[in-house]
Amino acid sequence: MLKGRHVIEPENLSVAEIDEICSLAEQIIVDPVSFQDVCRGKILAALFFEPSTRTRLSFEAAMLRLGGTVEGFADASYTSTTKGETLADTIRVVSSYADVIAMRSPKEGAALLASQYSACPIINAGDGGHSHPTQTLTDLLTIRQLRGGFENHTIGFVGDLKFGRTVHSLTQAMCRYPGNKFIFVSPKELCIPDYMVENLLKPNNIQYETAERMEDVIDQLDILYMTRVQKERFFNEQDYIRLKDSYILDKEKMRLARKDMIVLHPLPRVNEIQPDVDDDPRAAYFKQVKYGMYARMSLIAKLTGSL
């Protein structure tokens, strides 16, 4: 049972629970009208201490489409934290009003801390460079819809692999399924963190390799996962300027790829995917956005005990 549970990182959900969430999401996709009242009377608090467009609106749309209501904020400067209120006290207060909280923070570990003081389920909507479990559910649902399942894929992650929480979370999730291979494509400065290699990939005998050129590996991929170089994760602006255009996907590179490869991106993009790729049938990142809403609808319904 998922009712009342916190979801702080993908590992909080078992393989069976991920399957349960995806299966419910697929039912909602097929017949959304049957689910439009399942959360009537329930309140989602969306607490976004860091700017967000897609994730915040996706959570809000998910709850509204389930018949519930939404409260919260998209700018921490309008909250009592500016007066010095602690996160613990903010969560104690908000959880007395809401049935579920979706929370984003620039601080790693903030969602875990919040879960220790909350009277209702906390969903981590992103905490710094650490974890983003509902983006992982979004990615998994997209892969299941477009690739038929979670096993035996070659997945290429491209761009900012050091700070990219979506990359870390999806890698962790896909390592739980057999037959998957990973190719990490990045400049040396933004390579996959050592702890991911030493604590996850090597101990579990997961096949992986690294590369510095997308063109060298794109023809091997079933799934290409693009990421932007995130300015907000850099301490040195010169490093950001030097690296931000390292990897750009365009029509020329897509000609090298398999006909059934899919391209994912957690968005927002800057210029790492050129607009001329958008009309390619393999470009799945806008479909991914909609699947994210369905994944969050499923998760909210489960955590609130509505289904």
Side-chain angles (χ1 to χ4, degrees):
M1 286 291 292
L2 288 164
K3 181 180 178 181
R5 295 255 299 275
H6 303 298
V7 179
I8 308 302
E9 54 189 10
E11 288 73 17
N12 293 149
L13 300 170
S14 69
V15 168
E17 287 165 344
I18 288 172
D19 185 66
E20 181 184 341
I21 291 165
C22 288
S23 293
L24 176 58
E26 288 170 339
Q27 293 175 44
I28 297 171
I29 290 168
V30 171
D31 185 15
V33 173
S34 295
F35 298 89
Q36 64 187 4
D37 292 315
V38 299
C39 282
R40 187 161 301 280
K42 300 288 175 69
I43 297 172
L44 166 75
L47 310 186
F48 279 71
F49 295 90
E50 183 180 53
S52 169
T53 303
R54 274 148 304 279
T55 302
R56 181 175 61 85
L57 294 180
S58 178
F59 268 110
E60 293 182 3
M63 187 51 136
L64 293 171
R65 285 180 180 273
L66 291 169
T69 55
V70 180
E71 63 182 11
F73 55 82
D75 186 342
S77 65
Y78 293 103
T79 73
S80 292
T81 58
T82 60
K83 304 174 185 176
E85 182 176 63
T86 65
L87 177 62
D89 282 2
T90 298
I91 295 300
R92 284 186 176 108
V93 170
V94 174
S95 68
S96 68
Y97 305 146
D99 298 286
V100 60
I101 294 173
M103 175 182 150
R104 169 168 285 189
S105 171
K107 298 178 181 178
E108 296 183 11
L112 178 60
L113 177 65
S115 71
Q116 297 168 1
Y117 295 95
S118 181
C120 68
I122 295 284
I123 303 173
N124 182 5
D127 60 336
H130 174 232
S131 194
H132 196 348
T134 61
Q135 182 64 50
T136 305
L137 287 174
T138 296
D139 299 339
L140 290 173
L141 180 60
T142 305
I143 290 168
R144 181 156 136 167
Q145 286 282 293
L146 301 181
R147 294 290 308 182
F150 303 136
E151 301 177 0
N152 303 311
H153 300 302
T154 298
I155 307 156
F157 290 101
V158 176
D160 180 0
L161 311 187
K162 180 177 182 180
F163 298 105
R165 60 191 169 202
T166 58
V167 172
H168 304 165
S169 293
L170 184 57
T171 301
Q172 290 168 339
M174 292 299 282
C175 278
R176 301 164 82 177
Y177 299 92
N180 290 323
K181 176 184 176 181
F182 300 92
I183 302 179
F184 300 107
V185 184
S186 71
K188 290 185 174 65
E189 294 91 340
L190 295 175
C191 67
I192 195 79
D194 289 342
Y195 76 84
M196 293 284 291
V197 175
E198 299 301 327
N199 298 337
L200 177 66
L201 300 171
K202 285 184 177 179
N204 293 294
N205 296 314
I206 304 296
Q207 275 192 285
Y208 77 96
E209 62 183 80
T210 61
E212 291 193 34
R213 282 168 40 88
M214 192 185 346
E215 299 92 320
D216 294 340
V217 300
I218 193 170
D219 63 339
Q220 302 175 44
L221 304 178
D222 300 305
I223 300 163
L224 172 59
Y225 197 100
M226 297 293 297
T227 67
R228 69 187 172 93
V229 176
Q230 302 175 81
K231 183 176 182 179
E232 61 267 34
R233 305 298 175 205
F234 278 83
F235 296 106
N236 184 322
E237 188 170 1
Q238 290 306 115
D239 285 344
Y240 167 72
I241 292 169
R242 179 170 56 86
L243 295 170
K244 68 184 179 70
D245 294 330
S246 295
Y247 299 95
I248 297 176
L249 182 66
D250 54 25
K251 272 191 173 180
E252 289 301 312
K253 293 187 181 74
M254 288 296 286
R255 288 192 181 99
L256 304 173
R258 295 175 179 173
K259 298 300 183 186
D260 62 347
M261 183 189 78
I262 60 171
V263 181
L264 304 183
H265 191 305
L267 302 180
R269 67 172 165 183
V270 183
N271 65 346
E272 62 275 5
I273 300 179
Q274 291 295 290
D276 64 9
V277 176
D278 295 351
D279 293 331
D280 191 302
R282 294 168 291 183
Y285 30 90
F286 291 118
K287 293 178 183 176
Q288 192 179 354
V289 170
K290 194 154 192 177
Y291 288 135
M293 180 186 69
Y294 292 122
R296 292 179 177 104
M297 288 174 73
S298 178
L299 182 64
I300 289 168
K302 291 287 185 183
L303 296 185
T304 57
S306 303
L307 287 174

